[in-house]
Amino acid sequence: MASHRKSRPSGTRAAGIRTPALATAALTSMALFSQTAEAAPSDDGKPSLEEVEKKVDALYRQAESATEKYNTAKEQTGRQRKQVDTLLDDVARRTDRLNKAREELGSFAAAQYRTGADVPDTATFLLADSPQDYFDQDQLMSRLTSRQKGAVDDYVTEQSATMKKRQEASQSLESLTETQGDLKTAKTTVQTKLASARELLSQLTAAEKARLAAIEKRQQEAADRKAAELAKQQAAAADQKASSSSTSGGSSSDSGSGSGSDSAYATKAAKAIAFARAQIGKPYVWGATGPGSYDCSGLSQAAWKAAGVSLPRTTYDQVNAGTTVSLADAQPGDLVFFYDDVSHVGIYIGNGMMIHAPKPGAYVREESIYYGGESIIHSVVRPA
């Protein structure tokens, strides 16, 4: 039973989200990171700080990916449980009607026994595996009254429908059990990865933790510089667009329509961003959708809900819930997705920055969209 599984997005990136200049800057930044003194192997055979950082980041990444799988399985479990409950309720109602039809046939048998009428063996009918086969014989059917025939038809119809619904319920229960297994596996994976990351970090000395924090600070500074570069590019593009619109007079109906659409989106985006900004400082908790804590897709869903837009629960579905735009054309409110498996999302707020729930152990915050380098940016989606 694998038909209920959702296919994962492919690793293909949205066209037009990268530029040669930004790619060069990303490579330069990565080259600088790799030259840090902390990257040198230690004499005692322990992993270097850079290796520890990479392992911890990888574990957090795997935990976040497992979180989205957990969210998917949790949604499927909820839907399947409702379906099973509905089917079981239907089976119960049909079984009740089937019992009533059986009782009516039994009353005919009792009445015929009292009168000694020459009638088909109703008791044999009730014990038959296939009542329809029993009554398919013309000589028997011809000896039934119209009322008896109606009772038989009701019984056979209810028996067939009940058996069908029981089969559907059984299949749905099987599917639900499988999804619950997926849910348990994803939960275990998240917990295991987080425990491994905590174990790695606990082995660092205070001095090593300080040096690791220095590495992360330099990486953040580099990401902020790249965000500033993107902001300049977007500002230049906006100025050029405004200049072009002014030159053309901005009188075309298409231009007016686009302006109205942009204005409506900006209004909704402002509400989504205001909500997200109000959540800053709240902890990342895998599987959480607020109000006290969030995971990445839980935050983006809640923010856009505050703007009157309903988004799916997981990053896998959110990436398809809108129009893909280039990174250069990103506007405040757009959703920025990360990694080839689309397992992380942030809410773009302009100037190369976003609000997101970063990872376990961290808090909702504003951060450069280049926090992990340009290569991890998957796509940008405008949800409304």
Side-chain angles (χ1 to χ4, degrees):
M1 292 290 299
S3 60
H4 67 287
R5 297 181 183 274
K6 176 180 284 296
S7 60
R8 293 290 183 264
S10 67
T12 303
R13 300 181 186 280
I17 69 168
R18 305 182 65 181
T19 64
L22 294 178
T24 301
L27 291 174
T28 302
S29 297
M30 292 307 297
L32 289 173
F33 295 160
S34 66
Q35 293 172 7
T36 59
E38 290 85 351
S42 59
D43 294 335
D44 59 4
K46 291 173 60 179
S48 68
L49 285 181
E50 186 183 62
E51 290 171 336
V52 170
E53 181 192 33
K54 287 181 178 179
K55 287 181 179 179
V56 170
D57 284 347
L59 287 167
Y60 280 143
R61 272 275 303 109
Q62 292 163 10
E64 191 169 40
S65 180
T67 295
E68 289 306 309
K69 292 177 181 177
Y70 170 87
N71 291 339
T72 298
K74 189 175 181 179
E75 274 206 322
Q76 289 178 336
T77 298
R79 289 194 297 267
Q80 290 169 349
R81 183 174 287 114
K82 289 180 180 178
Q83 182 182 32
V84 167
D85 289 344
T86 298
L87 285 169
L88 290 178
D89 286 345
D90 194 10
V91 167
R93 287 192 297 269
R94 290 183 179 279
T95 300
D96 184 57
R97 290 198 294 266
L98 186 63
N99 289 336
K100 289 179 179 178
R102 184 183 288 113
E103 289 172 1
E104 186 173 4
L105 287 172
S107 66
F108 285 136
Q112 291 160 353
Y113 175 79
R114 289 193 300 270
T115 61
D118 184 16
V119 296
D121 188 351
T122 308
T124 302
F125 164 79
L126 292 173
L127 295 175
D129 291 332
S130 178
Q132 183 61 62
D133 291 342
Y134 182 86
F135 282 104
D136 276 346
Q137 303 178 54
D138 291 340
Q139 65 272 28
L140 291 178
M141 290 298 291
S142 63
R143 293 158 58 189
L144 295 175
T145 67
S146 59
R147 186 178 177 189
Q148 288 173 320
K149 288 180 180 179
V152 169
D153 288 342
D154 290 343
Y155 182 85
V156 172
T157 299
E158 286 300 333
Q159 185 189 53
S160 176
T162 302
M163 290 177 63
K164 182 178 179 180
K165 288 298 179 181
R166 282 175 179 168
Q167 185 177 17
E168 289 180 17
S170 176
Q171 291 173 343
S172 293
L173 279 170
E174 182 180 345
S175 180
L176 175 59
T177 300
E178 184 175 351
T179 305
Q180 287 174 327
D182 293 342
L183 187 66
K184 183 178 180 180
T185 298
K187 182 177 181 179
T188 300
T189 300
V190 172
Q191 294 172 330
T192 301
K193 299 302 181 184
L194 294 182
S196 298
R198 286 193 293 268
E199 176 64 21
L200 277 174
L201 291 173
S202 70
Q203 295 173 4
L204 297 178
T205 65
E208 287 173 330
K209 290 179 180 178
R211 293 202 301 274
L212 183 58
I215 294 175
E216 293 175 346
K217 183 179 179 181
R218 288 195 293 273
Q219 292 174 337
Q220 181 178 343
E221 290 171 348
D224 290 343
R225 287 193 296 271
K226 285 181 61 60
E229 291 175 12
L230 177 61
K232 289 180 180 178
Q233 292 178 4
Q234 290 179 331
D239 288 344
Q240 184 177 4
K241 182 179 179 181
S243 176
S244 175
S245 177
S246 176
T247 301
S248 65
S251 59
S252 69
S253 59
D254 290 342
S255 175
S257 175
S259 176
S261 177
D262 290 345
S263 177
Y265 178 74
T267 299
K268 293 178 181 179
K271 292 180 180 179
I273 292 172
F275 178 92
R277 187 164 278 123
Q279 312 313 306
I280 290 176
K282 293 183 179 180
Y284 176 107
V285 174
W286 59 275
T289 57
S293 58
Y294 298 88
D295 62 19
C296 65
S297 56
L299 177 63
S300 56
Q301 183 188 48
W304 271 101
K305 182 179 180 181
V309 176
S310 178
L311 290 182
R313 172 64 181 94
T314 68
T315 55
Y316 306 131
D317 292 326
Q318 288 180 8
V319 74
N320 296 314
T323 303
T324 300
V325 299
S326 69
L327 185 56
D329 292 331
Q331 296 179 14
D334 291 350
L335 301 180
V336 184
F337 294 90
F338 299 87
Y339 305 106
D340 286 342
D341 62 354
V342 199
S343 57
H344 187 67
V345 62
I347 304 167
Y348 191 64
I349 59 175
N351 297 323
M353 303 294 289
M354 67 179 174
I355 297 174
H356 69 149
K359 60 185 178 182
Y363 298 84
V364 176
R365 65 192 182 205
E366 289 187 16
E367 192 166 27
S368 166
I369 63 173
Y370 298 105
Y371 75 102
E374 182 188 9
S375 63
I376 69 169
I377 298 176
H378 179 277
S379 56
V380 180
V381 171
R382 189 156 300 152

